């Protein structure tokens, strides 16, 4: 198809081009030929008229009409192309035909063309159409005699011959064109076939052969043109393709070898590994299961923790390290009569504007670190105990946990308890006081004379009574400690001054026992610390009391204060019996008494140091001692300074 | 002129002991057994010093002091409290109400009571 199409198209194009150019050329040639023939015709007509004119040399020739008529006939006879010839002369101001090949016209006036030619004296030509549609050429020229115009010749020529000639020429030309065209087409088709079509066909066949896999095929077009170049290029390409294909085949076979080898290796490995894989996947599944379990566990834990926080009976609020409220539980919402969604993520500063929050925000806002069980009266019927705990993250401070413990009920109970204690103290102490005062008055002789023996009994009774009083005092203190509400009132206290007062109170007692009591009141002002004055007083007093009690006559008890980095240290040193090493660990236990102490003094309750320890612990302080049996003991209390 | 001491105390033993001790010291002792009686006696006896117990029937010592504080004349009389408990709350209140001094029964003996009386009586 391609082959036919190409050849066909080429031929059609060539035929059209040749036909078109030949027709153009032929048309122009024929036209040219026709004009040329017409000119020749005209020239011959003029020549005829000149011949006629040459015969007329004088006027006499014109007057001989018969002679003129003969001449006219002669010309017509000689020239078959001339259809008519006339000679017109002016007669009485009018141009009259005097001689004519058409006899009927003699004596008639001349035509318009003849009149105008006579007047202007110029040659006049005109093509006329005859009645039978044949073309006629009319030539009119003036008749001169001795250089003077005397009349007009009129000549009418038939152009039929001319037309016929032109037609003949055109026909011959067309035949020539047709023959030439056929020749060119034949020649061209042969040329195209040999130069283009057959090489293309060869190329096509070659491509088909090469395409079917025969890369050894060589396309042989030995031509010194583009087709030749194309075939060379194609052959080169085929060669390269062949090389590549071979290389590919080599590669493929080597790859196949490798793949086979690898496959067999893999199969063996797979066989070995399948067992391992089974184990591994089993382990992995177990791990996944474990992870799932752990996740579930963690979620459970988280839910549990959240549930605990949410349902915690104390109000809980968590502030992050930017002091923004990040969590608030239901109880806290209830306490402040607020909704979590309205306050969450608000900063402490913003919360101060919430009326119900105001009081709390005020105390929290002071300082995060200094809040230790602060009481807060939110309303008449709502008392809170506010505690702030620093949440310590692994790396940085994670924020603060604010615990709001509703102590309204405890407060009420506490009040009742205070009343109860007061009543109990009254009930117990009143008789004890009465006994004490009665015995005292007996001993002082206010109630009459007492014998020495009686006085001895009274003295012992008085001591027993004193012990009972002190025991009741200790028991009351212990019961308060165990209620967990022992330290109430934190005030800034001058410990040095307070110690001086305690020392003064003990002086008489020490003197009575023959013990030297020393106190170096520091000259420098000791740092002020916030403590419960009464309780710290009691603790120091207990230590001094013990020191005096367990130091033999002639011994020495000294009290000194030291301002240390970690706080204020109060030490009570004695030269007493000491604490046996094996009992030192239990010395702060309730009701515990060292064996050597019991031998010396049977009165002790074993509550003194227990109370001391509790008081100091409640102040976040430290109490320690160093003791050597029979040499002495030094007790030291360290109270942290206010930050 | 003998100084008058009004002892407002409900415990019979204590009354006996104190009145005896004070009489021995040469004071004129008047006894009231509760706060109501005590207040009336302050007006009639016009004592130079009042020894006042806290826990009493009818009207306790605190109330008595409150009433005393309402009267300009009575306010001038020095008061020494004889207390049983000596709890800090109580002591604080006593001070606030203007008592000159206080005694805790179990910690003081009659001799010291006399010392306090001597110290505060005009």
């Amino acid at each position: 198809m391609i082959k036919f199409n190409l050849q066909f198209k080429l031929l059609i194009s060539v035929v059209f081009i040749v036909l078109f150019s030949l027709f153009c050329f032929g048309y122009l040639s024929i036209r040219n030929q026709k004009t040329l023939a017409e000119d020749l015709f005209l020239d011959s007509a003029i020549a005829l008229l000149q011949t006629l004119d040459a015969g007329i040399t004088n006027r006499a020739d014109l007057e001989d009409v018969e002679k003129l008529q003969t001449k006219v006939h002669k010309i017509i006879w000689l020239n078959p192309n001339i259809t008519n010839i006339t000679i017109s002369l002016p007669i009485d101001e009018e141009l009259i035909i005097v001689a004519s090949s058409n006899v009927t016209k003699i004596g008639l006036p001349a035509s318009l063309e003849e009149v105008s030619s006579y007047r202007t004296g110029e040659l006049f030509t005109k093509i006329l159409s005859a009645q039978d549609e044949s073309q006629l050429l009319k030539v009119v020229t003036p008749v001169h005699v001795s250089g003077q115009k005397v009349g007009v010749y009129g000549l009418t020529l038939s152009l039929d011959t001319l037309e016929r000639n032109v037609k003949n020429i055109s026909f011959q030309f067309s035949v020539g064109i047709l023959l030439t065209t056929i020749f060119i087409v034949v020649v061209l088709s042969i040329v195209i076939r040999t130069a283009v079509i057959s090489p293309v066909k060869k190329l096509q066949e070659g491509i088909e052969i090469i395409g079917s896999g025969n890369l050894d095929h060589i396309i042989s077009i030995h031509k010194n043109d583009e087709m030749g170049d194309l075939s060379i290029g194609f052959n080169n390409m085929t060669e390269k393709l062949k090389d590549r294909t071979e290389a590919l085949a080599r590669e493929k076979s080597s790859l196949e070898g490798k793949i086979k080898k690898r496959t067999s290796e893999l199969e063996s490995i797979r066989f070995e590994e399948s067992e391992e894989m089974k184990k591994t996947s089993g382990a992995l599944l177990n791990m996944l299961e474990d992870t799932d379990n752990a996740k579930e566990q963690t979620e459970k834990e988280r839910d549990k923790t959240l549930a605990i926080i949410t349902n915690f009976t104390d109000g809980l609020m968590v502030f992050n390290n930017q002091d923004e409220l990040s969590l608030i539980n239901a109880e806290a919402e209830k306490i402040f009569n607020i909704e979590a969604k309205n306050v969450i993520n608000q900063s402490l500063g913003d919360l101060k504007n919430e009326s119900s929050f105001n009081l709390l925000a005020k105390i929290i806002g002071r300082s995060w670190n200094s809040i230790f069980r602060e009481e807060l009266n939110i309303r008449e019927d709502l008392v809170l105990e506010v505690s702030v705990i620093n949440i310590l993250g692994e790396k940085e401070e994670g924020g603060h946990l604010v615990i709001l413990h509703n102590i309204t009920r405890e407060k009420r109970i506490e009040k009742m308890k205070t009343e109860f204690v007061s009543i109990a103290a009254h009930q117990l102490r009143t008789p004890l006081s009465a006994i004490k005062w009665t015995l005292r008055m007996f001993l002082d002789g206010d109630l009459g004379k007492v014998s020495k023996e009686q006085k001895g009994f009274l003295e012992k009774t008085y001591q027993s009574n004193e012990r009972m009083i002190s025991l009741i005092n200790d028991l009351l203190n212990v019961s308060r400690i165990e209620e967990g509400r022992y330290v109430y009132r934190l005030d800034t206290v001058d410990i040095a001054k307070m110690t001086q007062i305690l020392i003064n109170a003990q002086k008489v007692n020490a003197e009575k026992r023959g013990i030297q009591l020393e106190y170096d009141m520091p000259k420098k002002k000791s740092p002020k610390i916030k403590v419960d004055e009464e309780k710290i007083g009691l603790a120091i007093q207990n230590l001094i009391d013990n020191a005096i009690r367990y130091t033999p006559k002639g011994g020495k008890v000294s009290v000194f204060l030291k301002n240390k980095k970690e706080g204020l240290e109060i030490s009570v040193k004695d030269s007493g019996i000491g604490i046996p090493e094996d009992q030192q660990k239990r010395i702060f236990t309730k009701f515990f008494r060292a064996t050597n102490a019991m031998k010396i003094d049977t009165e002790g309750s074993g509550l003194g140091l227990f109370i001391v320890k509790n008081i100091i612990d409640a102040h976040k302080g430290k109490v320690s001692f160093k003791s050597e049996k029979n040499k002495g003991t030094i007790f030291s209390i360290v109270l942290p300074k206010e930050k | 002129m003998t100084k008058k001491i009004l002892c407002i105390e409900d415990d019979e033993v204590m009354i006996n002991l104190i009145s005896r001790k004070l009489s021995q010291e040469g004071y004129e002792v008047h006894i009231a057994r509760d706060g109501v009686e005590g207040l009336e006696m302050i007006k009639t006896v016009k004592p130079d010093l009042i020894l006042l117990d806290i826990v009493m029937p009818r009207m306790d010592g605190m109330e008595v002091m409150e009433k005393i504080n309402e009267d300009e004349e009575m306010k001038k009389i020095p008061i020494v409290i004889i207390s049983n408990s000596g709890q800090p709350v109580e002591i604080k209140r006593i001070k606030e109400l203007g008592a000159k001094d206080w005694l805790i029964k179990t910690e003081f003996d009659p001799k010291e009571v006399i010392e306090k009386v001597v110290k505060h009586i005009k």
Side-chain angles (χ1 to χ4, degrees):
Chain A
M1 278 296 275
I2 290 165
K3 177 184 73 182
F4 173 78
N5 265 348
L6 187 61
Q7 191 176 6
F8 184 75
K9 280 174 189 168
L10 276 169
L11 282 176
I12 290 291
S13 310
V14 169
V15 166
F16 269 107
I17 291 163
V18 169
L19 279 177
F20 182 72
S21 51
L22 284 179
F23 271 114
C24 288
F25 176 71
Y27 176 73
L28 289 172
S29 305
I30 288 163
R31 253 182 67 121
N32 202 25
Q33 206 69 34
K34 200 180 167 186
T35 319
L36 222 82
E38 275 172 5
D39 287 349
L40 272 172
F41 232 75
L42 195 60
D43 286 349
S44 66
I46 290 166
L48 273 171
L49 286 175
Q50 279 169 350
T51 318
L52 191 66
D53 199 30
I56 301 160
T57 48
N58 47 42
R59 273 209 170 255
D61 291 337
L62 284 173
E63 283 159 6
D64 188 356
V65 176
E66 269 185 40
K67 220 179 169 180
L68 283 175
Q69 195 65 32
T70 315
K71 272 187 180 177
V72 167
H73 278 298
K74 209 177 169 181
I75 289 168
I76 291 215
W77 185 70
L78 284 170
N79 289 282
N81 285 335
I82 296 167
T83 53
N84 193 21
I85 190 161
T86 56
I87 299 166
S88 310
L89 295 171
I91 301 162
D92 300 335
E93 298 295 311
E94 205 180 357
L95 209 55
I96 303 288
I97 298 167
V98 288
S100 173
S101 55
N102 192 352
V103 185
T104 57
K105 284 198 173 175
I106 294 168
L108 293 175
S111 66
L112 281 172
E113 293 88 11
E114 283 156 331
V115 173
S116 68
S117 178
Y118 176 72
R119 280 191 190 145
T120 57
E122 280 172 9
L123 180 73
F124 182 87
T125 58
K126 193 185 177 181
I127 292 170
L128 303 166
S129 288
Q131 280 168 344
D132 59 350
E133 288 185 354
S134 63
Q135 289 199 317
L136 302 168
L137 178 67
K138 185 158 187 179
V139 181
V140 184
T141 185
V143 179
H144 293 91
V145 173
S146 325
Q148 274 189 320
K149 66 175 179 190
V150 289
V152 172
Y153 297 122
L155 187 72
T156 307
L157 292 164
S158 169
L159 287 176
D160 278 354
T161 330
L162 190 75
E163 288 287 309
R164 226 172 10 259
N165 283 348
V166 169
K167 268 178 191 164
N168 281 344
I169 290 165
S170 299
F171 176 72
Q172 282 161 11
F173 216 90
S174 300
V175 170
I177 286 167
L178 198 67
L179 290 174
T180 316
T181 307
I182 290 165
F183 176 75
I184 288 169
V185 164
V186 169
V187 169
L188 256 177
S189 77
I190 292 163
V191 168
I192 289 168
R193 187 167 276 278
T194 50
V196 180
I197 301 304
S198 64
V200 167
K201 203 177 168 188
K202 258 187 185 172
L203 210 60
Q204 193 196 4
E205 283 167 0
I207 288 164
E208 272 170 14
I209 292 165
I210 291 161
S212 70
N214 185 5
L215 292 173
D216 293 326
H217 182 80
I218 289 169
I219 298 162
S220 49
I221 302 171
H222 304 292
K223 280 201 167 167
N224 198 16
D225 58 10
E226 285 86 347
M227 278 296 167
D229 291 348
L230 186 64
S231 75
I232 290 164
F234 202 85
N235 284 334
N236 285 343
M237 191 193 80
T238 313
E239 212 167 303
K240 277 177 189 163
L241 199 66
K242 195 180 155 190
D243 290 350
R244 292 271 169 86
T245 314
E246 279 168 5
L248 268 172
R250 280 199 299 278
E251 194 71 25
K252 189 183 155 197
S253 70
S254 92
L255 263 175
E256 272 172 353
K258 278 180 191 169
I259 287 165
K260 258 182 200 166
K261 201 179 153 199
R262 196 82 188 111
T263 310
S264 65
E265 275 174 21
L266 273 173
E267 259 165 15
S268 65
I269 289 167
R270 206 166 63 187
F271 184 72
E272 285 165 18
E273 283 184 346
S274 61
E275 283 303 308
E276 194 67 32
M277 278 291 281
K278 269 180 200 161
K279 280 185 204 161
T280 313
S281 70
L284 211 63
L285 278 173
N286 282 341
M287 268 167 69
L288 279 173
E289 208 172 303
D290 288 353
T291 313
D292 275 353
N293 286 343
K295 195 180 155 198
E296 210 173 300
Q297 199 67 33
T298 314
E299 274 169 3
K300 258 189 201 164
E301 284 299 325
R302 195 196 58 200
D303 291 348
K304 220 192 269 174
T305 311
L306 262 175
I308 290 168
I309 289 172
T310 319
N311 300 313
F312 206 68
T313 49
D314 280 355
L316 292 177
M317 291 191 293
V318 177
F319 287 89
N320 65 17
N321 51 13
Q322 261 97 51
D323 284 356
E324 288 163 350
L325 183 63
S326 56
L327 195 144
I328 180 164
N329 76 344
E331 185 63 23
E333 285 178 85
K334 215 168 85 187
I335 288 171
F336 293 116
N337 194 24
I338 48 170
E339 277 184 78
K341 60 177 185 201
N342 296 332
V343 289
I344 216 89
N345 290 332
Q346 285 201 40
S347 73
L348 198 58
D350 295 336
L351 290 175
K352 276 181 187 166
N353 302 328
E354 288 268 337
S355 60
S356 53
F357 244 77
N358 196 17
L359 281 169
L360 177 72
K362 262 185 196 160
I363 51 161
I364 300 174
R366 283 205 305 259
S367 162
W368 286 109
N369 299 317
S370 67
I371 296 157
F372 169 78
R373 286 185 174 169
E374 192 140 352
E375 272 177 33
L376 190 63
N377 270 292
I378 295 279
R379 291 191 296 273
E380 191 63 34
D381 60 338
L382 181 60
V383 185
L384 297 179
E385 183 188 68
V386 182
S387 306
V388 176
I389 295 165
N390 289 342
I391 304 166
L392 297 170
E394 274 180 22
K395 281 174 188 167
E396 54 192 323
E397 201 169 279
H400 303 278
L401 171 66
V402 177
I403 303 168
L404 308 162
H405 184 55
N406 188 341
I407 52 164
T408 314
R409 191 166 163 270
E410 283 95 326
K411 272 279 159 188
R412 213 153 41 220
I413 292 169
E414 192 185 294
K415 206 183 159 200
M416 286 160 68
K417 204 171 266 175
T418 312
E419 284 164 8
F420 168 76
V421 167
S422 172
I423 290 160
H426 185 78
Q427 298 301 331
L428 270 170
R429 281 169 160 190
T430 307
L432 286 171
S433 300
I435 292 163
K436 176 178 168 151
W437 286 39
T438 310
L439 288 170
R440 191 74 252 165
M441 285 177 82
F442 265 123
L443 285 166
D444 292 349
D446 291 337
L447 304 172
K449 243 188 155 194
V450 182
S451 73
K452 213 177 177 183
E453 199 192 2
Q454 282 171 331
K455 203 175 178 180
F457 280 114
L458 286 172
E459 193 75 52
K460 282 208 173 104
T461 315
Y462 182 83
Q463 291 302 329
S464 298
N465 194 53
E466 281 291 284
R467 222 172 67 211
M468 208 125 91
I469 290 168
S470 109
L471 185 64
I472 281 172
N473 286 339
D474 281 352
L475 280 172
L476 282 171
N477 282 332
V478 169
S479 75
R480 277 149 80 190
I481 285 168
E482 286 177 341
E483 280 161 25
R485 318 211 153 266
Y486 196 47
V487 176
Y488 288 114
R489 233 161 293 277
L490 291 173
D491 288 312
T492 308
V493 174
D494 186 343
I495 302 281
K497 221 169 162 183
M498 189 181 82
T499 311
Q500 185 65 65
I501 294 164
L502 291 168
I503 294 284
N504 291 345
Q506 290 282 356
K507 274 233 160 103
V508 184
N509 185 29
E511 268 169 39
K512 217 189 278 174
R513 289 170 177 262
I515 287 156
Q516 196 188 338
L517 180 61
E518 277 182 359
Y519 172 57
D520 269 344
M521 172 120 175
K523 289 187 180 73
K524 267 199 220 164
K525 249 191 166 180
S526 56
K528 301 224 163 146
I529 43 175
K530 259 195 168 178
V531 294
D532 185 320
E533 186 172 8
E534 192 210 346
K535 303 298 160 2
I536 289 295
L538 180 64
I540 297 170
Q541 190 196 315
N542 272 356
L543 289 179
I544 299 170
D545 205 52
N546 274 356
I548 295 169
R549 195 187 297 263
Y550 300 113
T551 299
K553 213 172 178 176
K556 190 175 150 188
V557 171
S558 45
V559 180
F560 42 90
L561 301 184
K562 221 187 259 177
N563 196 0
K564 285 189 146 187
K565 204 173 142 192
E566 60 266 37
L568 182 69
E569 188 186 64
I570 306 124
S571 301
V572 180
K573 191 183 174 188
D574 66 50
S575 58
I577 55 168
I579 306 161
E581 213 177 320
D582 61 328
Q583 292 168 31
Q584 286 186 357
K585 273 189 181 172
R586 297 169 63 200
I587 201 72
F588 293 114
T589 322
K590 189 164 63 174
F591 298 121
F592 177 79
R593 297 195 71 210
T595 44
N596 55 348
M598 282 201 285
K599 273 176 200 162
I600 286 184
D601 181 12
T602 49
E603 287 178 9
S605 65
L607 293 170
L609 286 175
F610 171 75
I611 293 168
V612 170
K613 173 98 172 115
N614 275 283
I615 291 170
I616 304 306
D617 282 352
H619 282 83
K620 293 194 166 86
K622 267 179 192 163
V623 55
S624 58
F625 66 93
K626 265 182 205 161
S627 184
E628 207 174 319
K629 212 178 168 187
N630 297 324
K631 282 205 170 168
T633 308
I634 175 166
F635 271 94
S636 297
I637 292 168
V638 178
L639 293 169
K641 282 182 231 175
E642 213 176 329
K643 274 165 198 165
Chain B
M1 207 186 120
T2 318
K3 299 273 183 192
K4 287 181 275 184
I5 293 172
L6 175 62
C7 185
I8 309 172
E9 164 71 68
D10 65 326
D11 188 271
E12 203 60 40
V13 183
M14 290 302 285
I15 291 168
N16 286 338
L17 289 166
I18 288 169
S19 59
R20 177 146 191 161
K21 186 77 186 170
L22 288 172
S23 303
Q24 277 180 359
E25 295 295 321
Y27 295 104
E28 186 184 318
V29 184
H30 298 263
I31 311 277
R33 309 245 185 240
D34 60 55
V36 180
E37 197 185 331
L39 267 178
E40 279 170 21
M41 286 185 74
I42 293 169
K43 286 168 194 163
T44 52
V45 174
K46 294 199 171 81
D48 297 292
L49 186 138
I50 301 164
L51 281 171
L52 180 64
D53 189 13
I54 296 296
V55 185
M56 287 182 296
R58 292 220 279 173
M59 187 190 282
D60 69 14
M62 300 289 185
E63 282 176 87
V64 173
M65 279 196 282
E66 281 165 16
K67 293 272 191 247
I68 289 171
N69 280 332
E70 285 166 16
D71 189 299
E72 283 302 315
E73 276 304 306
M74 286 199 280
K75 240 168 102 176
K76 290 173 186 165
I77 308 165
I79 300 168
V80 173
I81 298 294
I82 317 165
S83 164
N84 245 330
S85 73
Q87 283 195 64
V89 187
E90 206 180 89
I91 304 286
K92 201 183 160 202
R93 184 91 185 111
I94 288 166
K95 281 186 191 168
E96 279 169 7
L97 289 169
K100 290 280 173 199
D101 214 331
W102 63 94
L103 293 157
I104 294 162
K105 288 176 191 168
T106 51
E107 288 169 17
F108 288 87
D109 57 28
K111 225 195 245 171
E112 286 165 275
V113 177
I114 301 301
E115 282 166 21
K116 299 250 179 206
V117 169
V118 171
K119 191 179 164 190
H120 294 291
I121 202 160
K122 282 170 191 168

